[in-house]
Amino acid sequence: MDYSIRITGEAGQGIQTIGDTLAKLLARAGYYVFTQQDYESRIRGGHNSYRIRFSAGTITASQAKIRILVPLDREGIALHGKELAEEGILLYDSVSLKEKLTGSRSLDIPFADLAISHGGNKIMANTVAVGAVLGVLGMGLEGLNRIITDTFQKKGEEIISANIRAALAGHQYAKENCPHCASVPGMAEDGKGKMLISGSEAIGLGAIASGCRFYAAYPMTPSTGIMNYIASKAHEYGIVVEQAEDEIAAINMALGASFAGVRAMTGTSGGGFSLMVEGLSLAAMTETPVVIALGQRPGPATGFPTRTEQGELGFALHAGHGEFPRVIFAPGTPEQAFHLTRKAFDLAEKYQIPAIILTDQHLADTTWSYDSLDLTGIEINDYRLRGEQFQALPEYKRHAFTGSGISPFGVPGEARHLVVTDSDEHDEEGHIVEDAETRIRMVQKRLFRKLPPLRKEIAPPTLYGHKKPVVLLAGWGSTFGVIREVVDYYAPVMDIAMLHFSEIYPFPATGQFNYLKLLREAELAVCVENNATGQFARLMRTETGYSFTNMINKYDGRPFSVEGLVEEIRAILG
Amino acid sequence: MDYSIRITGEAGQGIQTIGDTLAKLLARAGYYVFTQQDYESRIRGGHNSYRIRFSAGTITASQAKIRILVPLDREGIALHGKELAEEGILLYDSVSLKEKLTGSRSLDIPFADLAISHGGNKIMANTVAVGAVLGVLGMGLEGLNRIITDTFQKKGEEIISANIRAALAGHQYAKENCPHCASVPGMAEDGKGKMLISGSEAIGLGAIASGCRFYAAYPMTPSTGIMNYIASKAHEYGIVVEQAEDEIAAINMALGASFAGVRAMTGTSGGGFSLMVEGLSLAAMTETPVVIALGQRPGPATGFPTRTEQGELGFALHAGHGEFPRVIFAPGTPEQAFHLTRKAFDLAEKYQIPAIILTDQHLADTTWSYDSLDLTGIEINDYRLRGEQFQALPEYKRHAFTGSGISPFGVPGEARHLVVTDSDEHDEEGHIVEDAETRIRMVQKRLFRKLPPLRKEIAPPTLYGHKKPVVLLAGWGSTFGVIREVVDYYAPVMDIAMLHFSEIYPFPATGQFNYLKLLREAELAVCVENNATGQFARLMRTETGYSFTNMINKYDGRPFSVEGLVEEIRAILG
Amino acid sequence: MPSLDDYKGQTPAWCPGCGNFGILKAFKDAMVEMGKEPHEFTIVSGIGQAGKFPHYLKCNTFNGLHGRTLPVATGMRLANSGMTVIAVAGDGDCYGEGGNHLIHAIRRNINVKLFVHDNQVYGLTKGQASPTSTETGKGGMKTKNQPFGILSEQLNPIALAVALDCSFVARGFAGDMAHLKEIIKEAAGHTGFSLVDILQPCVSFNKINTFEWYKERVYRIEAGYNPEDRITAFAKALEWGERIPLGVIYRNNRPTLEEQIPLIAETPLVKQSVDLSRIAATMKDFY
Amino acid sequence: MPSLDDYKGQTPAWCPGCGNFGILKAFKDAMVEMGKEPHEFTIVSGIGQAGKFPHYLKCNTFNGLHGRTLPVATGMRLANSGMTVIAVAGDGDCYGEGGNHLIHAIRRNINVKLFVHDNQVYGLTKGQASPTSTETGKGGMKTKNQPFGILSEQLNPIALAVALDCSFVARGFAGDMAHLKEIIKEAAGHTGFSLVDILQPCVSFNKINTFEWYKERVYRIEAGYNPEDRITAFAKALEWGERIPLGVIYRNNRPTLEEQIPLIAETPLVKQSVDLSRIAATMKDFY
Ligand SMILES: Cc1ncc(C[n+]2csc(CCOP(=O)(O)OP(=O)(O)O)c2C)c(N)n1
Ligand SMILES: Cc1ncc(C[n+]2csc(CCOP(=O)(O)OP(=O)(O)O)c2C)c(N)n1
Ligand code: SF4
Ligand code: SF4
Ligand SMILES: [Mg+2]
Ligand SMILES: [Mg+2]
């Protein structure tokens, strides 16, 4: 059981609602689900698509072959028709599309007419379509009816029952007119509901679970989802969410809040991050913890606002004037995003440094299914000096030289001690200095003392697949899902594995897991990156001297597809 | 003949005027001169120093031993007295300093009293001091009198003659009371005047000589000198100089002017550059040429505003979201700064990319002497389409795919053709697109087509010293002068050389000059950097796989001194 | 003489019914009536729905970054003071991200025409509050990313511009194209920095300030109004809510930046040739 | 009760005779008179001569970047609305580099007190024009980096603030310490964003707007003046040149941002404990 549904249409036609509803129903029914959207930088019109793949086993990427195609626009037929599987079916409304298809693989369903006749309003055509898809799948309508009831609660009984009728009409029509559809199983075997979560939501949830209390940002695709999620929980968790006037303000607000004693975060995309770079350097100089979610999209400049790329690893690593340490995580899945966001907050606070969570539009917007996220050990280490404990100190210097190299960080106002910091080079108290001796000690404290323990915190890369691979596919960040599926694809015929890096900087040591040995022993070690220049391969060379045998790069603004990557690897294998 | 004069005092006491006057006189007298200032981020008070070294041969750094020390503040005696040479002399005014020194190496000259008695005003004490230094050196007063006449022209005859009297008083007092000073030669042998130019002035002059017509910037030490110099020539050369409201505006203004058809530049330091990073990415996407002077100072954040560091190489290399090519030059001398600024403009225009001139406070503020700068071949290649030539084209697309990879760049308004560009991914005409195919071709055009020819433009590093060195000292940017002197120092006793990189990116190829072979064959290959982390060494490893045998890093905000570097190398030699 | 056909650009990606269509129409009409040829002017636009504007007609175009239209336009005018330079921005673009540039462009009085498509919302990024959004507590919308509502006071760009002594300040409405066209022509004809704030209904995300909402409130400023008195203009600028004035609210004759730079007072910089013959002489300064 | 001794900070690196000394004195006096202890407030300052201010007294201090005082101060207040947060900036700092933040801090009405040391020049970077410098053609100075003179119209920060409906707008003078002290106290006592523009002679770089120049022109605003009327305030704000008013020019009682966020209306965020017990329940939303 491994099916893909694709809904296509113009922006504003509602494919997102159809897709979200179906995906939720499938996950609730116990399937593993993976969804991926392709959309343009416009609000209405154009051509968008929503892919839902579901399966009885774990899935981490889309697949090209479509089992059910629901085009709400004619372009959907032209562009995606050829991807319809042999056993696939195309559900469409010939009246709305003003096009009549022939052949056994298409089913003309009068979505609009059924909506009018059963629901009383054309607006319910999408509900009819959802009902029809469920009909084709042989699934019942209970789940859908529940969702309808929840969604339209505020709109009243009337609307709810109209929608329920519309759904039923689509369902029946499909069942009656699609005889060979009966073969589709109606339920995943275990019957246990799955959760469905996007990368953005996972970061948001991770931030909340880290005790984040302040989030300031300026809207920018694909990072806005994080802000929206955190905002939706602001009342419940006591989080101040502030829309800043620009990204410079956003990071400086976060630093102000952090200095004042609460955990603070901001999020943006490359263009906004460019504007935050001076603030990043300020965080470093004042040793003020901050977490930054950087959702990459294709650049330079505005680029492709709604598409994906891994083009800013080098930038994230070197951003900011002057020399200072930082943490960079690039989660490969929502699950990793959740846990690494927590780790980012912890390390930022522990070492008083900035931590960057590097994602991209692909990870941000795809949704993944899990039985659950592991919440064991969800607790917060408070590294700040507060109240009694702070007041009890005989003396206090914000930037004191200490045995551990980490200076005590008191919360201003909680004691009579003053908390002073400065973007200029400063002394232990935090006041401006000009002398060479203090400078040297401060650089050592901020940089050299912190890096070695910080590096020890970094987990090694993940190995998936064969333990002594002949072919090793390396990746970082959002390519996790697709590489994993490609490994599964080739596993039956070769000793293949994935080496995935999600904790990127400080670059993982080899003590715990000698991944360099693995790379060197593989016959083919291919670095797969969703960018043009191979930034991770370059970092690997810089940090370890190791050069990959091959590189696969994609820079058209689209994520890798399983099929595409399979082909690229086949080409390398020769 | 190799002498050093040091003048010290509080900010506002006028040591800069004394130093500038003496340096100019010495250069005019035909000496090679090198000056270096050490100052704090304040306008009055504190402790500053002005070093002038002069010699009959080429000099490129300061030396520690002082021949003439003129402390206008007591701290000058305390801090610099121990650096006075055996044969040196300390000129001071015991009344003003309220301190009386003993010993034969000090000469108490009543600067203030002589100013009052001969000039009629205490304000001329500095003129007395200059006269006294000349007296000690056994040099005549004609040159000084000329400078006085020029400087005070507007203030009238009265002031001029008063100053001339004051200078004479100091001169005579020194001659009479410093009998053993007579041994100092009064003139350089060749008697030919030298020019004296700072790094900032050289960049400014280079920009003017490149046909730069627009300079927008926001003041920031140590880049303000470039703006001031260009502003001083604005009327003469027809240059619009605009003080922007912030650095974001500065770079965007430069891009607007460049797009409109004139050569444009901006300059800043690390903090301001951080704010320009989004604009840098815009320059790349719109393929709009721009030259950026980035004068480094110690960071992070505000750091040491008036001091020096080479901390932003990695940042300059990776700044900006998305992937795009750039040129980075790091001149080692004002002469290189002049020529590389010209080359930066040329390459920026030729390849329609941003070019960064990476200097630092040390290079910006030190002045160097030359017989002259080579002006042969000062001409401008105009790569834009203008007037008739533009109008004559049958059709025009700003971002057309061409054989050379470079798109034609027309000046808007000079023909009926429209010039259209976009920060979004765009088609050949410059209009927004969303498709993968165009994206791929545009990335190839902007990035892959430009890099190989660009790399061919880059000159190899400079080798100074032994041709097959056993000890090779590598450096980049402003360390040129000090490394060169250290090579001279050790040359008599070992096969030593300097390998200096001033054209940093694209990283120089080895075809013309196999510097890698030289590095590998040297017993000791030491990378000398004025930063904490060894950014150039890292770049070398990334680009070539080569790792230096040793590193010498200095990160106290001060430039290397010859003596200090000699010691560090001695320590390595063991 | 150009015709509307010469101004046919790409098919707009705006939502059907969007106020931007009215602005586009009024703008093209104004250009045609003024006899302006497409190559005779340059539009600098930002990022947002408004930022796409120049692609939908024909002209020299620099579609730059979000918030940075005015510095680019300033650089252009200084380099080529013979070129008409128009900046087109969104309310978020120009009053949010780019607020600082607005202040200083007004102070400079660079001869740029700024048209702000003010839909009181962030359109392209799907409905966040913009600086001109009304506070939720005062009848404004609710947004997804502001859990406590829109709390900042609605920005009054007209009052801001009057306070900064902006050379030309007007308000137009996308729903009154004929009037808007005249304002565009007047702004284009004015010598000095011109801000035209254009009320532009966003049918997708601003369900409050709709065409109807505006239509009920806007009025063309009465004939006897004197836009040259700053205090009067300030009072007029404060009108909002029940009655919203359309037309020229403030105007003065300050000299432009370009006029004050002797170098370019006569000939645009881009038309002046570069003369390097004096470089050797200039080098002599250093001796 | 604190005494002046408790406020003794580092030795100022300002030039002898600088107007900043007067501001420092007035500020310390105001704090002492208000009985404010050093640990009870935080100063956020920028970069410039004004930015060094907090080092020269005693208090919690965040001396941040040039131009970015207000966002830092805003974040602080939102995190700890129990803390008095004061922003100290230069005119270049706050009206130049940081202009956008000023607009939006005023709109937010975050309860921050902003003191601008307005010397009408860039002091620390040696004498460039600031937004409040007078045009060269109108008697202003000449600068090294502006070959054609200062051409941008002098910014009137008071008029700008009134136009933005700033909660408290006042002007002080470093040469009238007694009066300045009272304004500082009044600003500190006001609930809402407060802008105090302080005329501060720079003896090293501003040879035009000297102590004498100001002394000849400033006057304390007359007793009957009503700072609550916006139009009156705007007219008063425009006074400059012959007569320069000192005192509170505009004031209103808009609710602060902090008051409007229910979450922190009672208890500052930093005093609220974090409760993660509901995370598992929250995760259930995703099923
Ligand atoms: C530096 C930066 N930050 C954020 C964005 C994302 N962004 C694109 S358009 C936009 C706002 C659009 O609002 P507005 O300017 O009012 O234009 P509208 O779409 O409403 O016409 C934002 C925040 C960006 N492109 N660049
Ligand atoms: C981003 C950035 N740009 C420029 C500077 C350099 N800089 C430091 S202080 C200053 C201006 C000082 O003027 P003002 O703010 O009026 O303060 P003042 O010294 O006059 O008190 C500038 C431009 C900087 N530190 N950071
Ligand atoms: S989102 Fe609003 S502003 Fe944007 S095109 Fe649609 S209606 Fe117009
Ligand atoms: S330069 Fe001006 S503002 Fe700065 S300390 Fe000196 S007098 Fe004061
Ligand atoms: Mg808008
Ligand atoms: Mg100032």
Side-chain angles (χ1 to χ4, degrees), chain A residues 41 274 281 299 301-303 307 309 321 323 423 425 434 439 444 532-533 535 538 541-543 555 558, chain B residues 41 274 281 299 301-303 307 309 321 323 423 425 434 439 444 532-533 535 538 541-543 555 558:
Chain A
S41 182
S274 282
S281 181
T302 309
R307 305 196 179 277
E309 188 162 280
H321 56 296
E323 301 179 283
S423 71
E425 191 55 274
E434 289 268 5
R439 166 76 182 172
Q444 286 167 347
T533 59
Q535 300 190 18
R538 186 176 163 98
R541 198 162 60 242
T542 309
E543 292 282 342
Y555 49 89
R558 277 72 180 167
Chain B
S41 183
S274 283
S281 180
T302 310
R307 305 196 179 275
E309 188 160 280
H321 56 295
E323 302 179 285
S423 72
E425 190 56 273
E434 289 269 4
R439 166 77 181 173
Q444 286 168 346
T533 60
Q535 300 190 16
R538 187 176 162 99
R541 198 162 60 242
T542 308
E543 292 282 341
Y555 48 89
R558 275 74 180 167

Side-chain angles (χ1 to χ4, degrees), chain A residues 463-483:
Chain A
L463 184 69
Y464 176 84
H466 201 279
K467 295 286 160 284
K468 280 183 186 281
V470 175
V471 177
L472 190 47
L473 306 181
W476 62 282
S478 74
T479 51
F480 180 99
V482 70
I483 300 179

Side-chain angles (χ1 to χ4, degrees), chain B residues 293-334:
Chain B
L294 166 50
Q296 301 162 102
R297 65 191 215 191
T302 310
F304 272 156
T306 61
R307 305 196 179 275
T308 203
E309 188 160 280
Q310 297 184 301
E312 283 142 26
L313 174 57
F315 182 31
L317 260 162
H318 296 91
H321 56 295
E323 302 179 285
F324 54 88
R326 72 195 76 200
V327 164
I328 299 178
F329 291 154
T333 68

